[in-house]
Amino acid sequence: MLITAGVLSTSVLVGIQQKSISKGFKTFFLGVSMVGCTIVSIIFFWFANSVKEWWDTNISIIIGVFCGVLDGYILGLLMFVALKKIISLLQKKYQTIRSISKS
């Protein structure tokens, strides 16, 4: 809950400070995806290491953190761009429908 509150408040503060809703949402997507991917990646590397015993447990957790942050950043950017495209498409459809109904 504290992590969620931190990500949410950071996103709001970035949006207010940069005077851009888009940057606030981008920060939100990046934060959520980085935290989520980091948790999943740590569990994956810990489990894979417990089965195969490649490294020390601490090293597998550190590798999981680095991979999770990197994957989360990429996933967050992809989600933000996809949402931006979807919103743009919906706006165009709404404007088309609105212009047809006025005619």
Side-chain angles (χ1 to χ4, degrees), residues 13-21 23-24:
L13 289 175
V14 166
I16 290 172
Q17 194 259 347
Q18 297 289 323
K19 297 178 183 161
S20 171
I21 294 173
K23 289 185 181 182

Side-chain angles (χ1 to χ4, degrees), residues 49-101:
N49 188 50
S50 66
V51 170
K52 292 289 187 176
E53 295 181 12
W54 287 320
W55 311 288
D56 184 40
T57 303
N58 294 333
I59 292 174
S60 67
I61 290 173
I62 291 172
I63 292 171
V65 168
F66 285 126
C67 289
V69 168
L70 179 65
D71 293 343
Y73 184 77
I74 293 169
L75 180 64
L77 287 178
L78 289 174
M79 286 189 326
F80 177 71
V81 169
L83 182 67
K84 208 172 176 183
K85 299 242 184 218
I86 290 170
I87 289 174
S88 174
L89 178 72
L90 290 175
Q91 283 178 338
K92 287 178 186 176
K93 281 192 171 258
Y94 176 72
Q95 288 173 352
T96 304
I97 292 171
R98 191 170 178 188
S99 66
I100 290 172
S101 67

Side-chain angles (χ1 to χ4, degrees), residues 9-30:
S9 65
T10 301
S11 302
V12 169
L13 289 175
V14 166
I16 290 172
Q17 194 259 347
Q18 297 289 323
K19 297 178 183 161
S20 171
I21 294 173
S22 177
K23 289 185 181 182
F25 274 109
K26 185 176 182 179
T27 304
F28 177 74
F29 282 119
L30 288 175

